[in-house]
Amino acid sequence: MTALPMSALALTGRSLRISSRRPDALIAALMLPVMLMLIFVYFFGGAIDTGTTYVTYVVPGAMLLCAGFGAASTAVSVAEDMTNGVIDRFRSLDIGAIPILAGHVTASVLRNLLSTTLVLAVALAIGFRPQADPAAFLAAAGLLLTYITAISWLAAALGLLAKSPEAAGGFTFLMMFLPYPSSAFVPIDTMPGWLHGFADHQPLTPVIESLRALLLAQPAGDAPWVALTWCAGITAAAVALSAVLFRNRTR
C-alpha cells in the first residue's frame, strides 16, 4: 500500500472518530431525513397523486435528501480543519491536500451509507416494496454511491471556500434544498410552468428518476447515463476546485 492511501485511510479514521464525539450532530444527520420522509408520507402523501403509493414514490428523493444532510457535516469539518491550525501540522508531516480531503470524503461516504440504509429500512417498515432484481439493486447502489461521492467532494470544496464552519454550513444549504425543485416529492408536471425547465434539467432529477426506475423495475431510458454524467462532472470539478482552494488557503 502506498503512502497516499495509507494517509487517506488514517485521516478517514480520524474523521470518523471526530464524528463519534459529536453524537448530537450524528443523530440529527441520521434522523432528520427519516423524519422528513415520515412527514411527507403521513402528512402530505394522501393529498399528492403520484400514480402509486406515496412511500414508493418518495423513497429515492429521501435517499438523496439524506446524502445532502450528511455532506453538510463534511463541509463544516473541512472548514474547522482549515481554521484550527491542524492543517499546518499535517503539512509538516508532508501530507498533501488530496489525502486530507479524501479522508473527509471517505468518512462522509461511510456515514451516508449508514444513514441511507436507515432510511431504506424505515421505508420498508412503512410499506415500500421494491421490485428490483439483484442486478438492478446493484446498479441502484452503485449510482447512489457515485452520487454520494460527488456531493461529498462538492461539500469538501465548499468547506475550503468558506472562511468559518458557520459559513460552511450556510453554503451547503443549496445541496439540501435541491431535492425539493425536482421529481423527488411531487411529479414535475404539477409544479408551476416556469419551474419545469430547472426541475427537469437539474442534476438530482435524473439521479432520482434512475433510482426510482431501477428499484421499481421500470424503464429507465437514458436517465442513468445522464445521472452518471452529472456525477462525474461534479466530482471532477469539485476535486479540481478543492486542489486550487487548498493551495490558495495554505500558502
Side-chain angles (χ1 to χ4, degrees):
M1 184 178 290
T2 63
L4 191 152
M6 289 179 66
S7 298
L9 185 61
L11 291 167
T12 298
R14 169 183 174 269
S15 295
L16 291 173
R17 286 192 298 273
I18 291 174
S19 296
S20 69
R21 295 168 189 157
R22 298 171 178 171
D24 52 343
L26 185 59
I27 291 172
L30 290 174
M31 297 307 300
L32 191 54
V34 171
M35 292 174 62
L36 287 173
M37 180 177 67
L38 294 175
I39 288 171
F40 272 98
V41 170
Y42 289 114
F43 291 6
F44 308 132
I48 300 174
D49 182 14
T50 61
T52 184
T53 57
Y54 190 67
V55 66
T56 299
Y57 184 88
V58 82
V59 167
M63 290 179 175
L64 267 61
L65 188 67
C66 180
F69 279 109
S73 64
T74 302
V76 173
S77 296
V78 170
E80 287 177 345
D81 276 358
M82 298 305 296
T83 56
N84 64 13
V86 72
I87 296 299
D88 293 333
R89 295 180 60 189
F90 288 152
R91 287 175 61 80
S92 69
L93 298 172
D94 198 26
I95 301 176
I98 296 302
I100 293 171
L101 297 177
H104 282 289
V105 169
T106 305
S108 173
V109 170
L110 294 174
R111 288 193 303 266
N112 272 303
L113 290 176
L114 174 62
S115 56
T116 301
T117 301
L118 178 61
V119 167
L120 182 57
V122 173
L124 290 170
I126 63 175
F128 177 58
R129 296 295 179 264
Q131 305 297 318
D133 58 26
F137 263 118
L138 287 175
L143 176 58
L144 185 60
L145 179 61
T146 303
Y147 173 77
I148 290 172
T149 302
I151 201 171
S152 296
W153 272 109
L154 179 60
L158 292 175
L160 289 168
L161 186 64
K163 300 301 183 182
S164 68
E166 293 77 15
F171 285 171
T172 56
F173 171 78
L174 179 62
M175 293 190 298
M176 293 183 284
F177 172 76
L178 272 180
Y180 296 99
S182 73
S183 62
F185 302 110
V186 297
I188 291 175
D189 60 11
T190 66
M191 299 178 183
W194 56 267
L195 192 55
H196 287 189
F198 177 79
D200 278 325
H201 299 100
Q202 64 130 312
L204 271 65
T205 294
V207 179
I208 292 166
E209 293 298 327
S210 299
L211 290 174
R212 189 173 286 136
L214 289 168
L215 291 173
L216 301 179
Q218 297 173 351
D222 62 353
W225 301 111
V226 176
L228 288 172
T229 300
W230 268 112
C231 291
I234 291 171
T235 302
V239 171
L241 179 61
S242 295
V244 172
L245 291 172
F246 188 91
R247 184 169 60 250
N248 290 341
R249 291 283 301 270
T250 57
R251 281 178 178 173

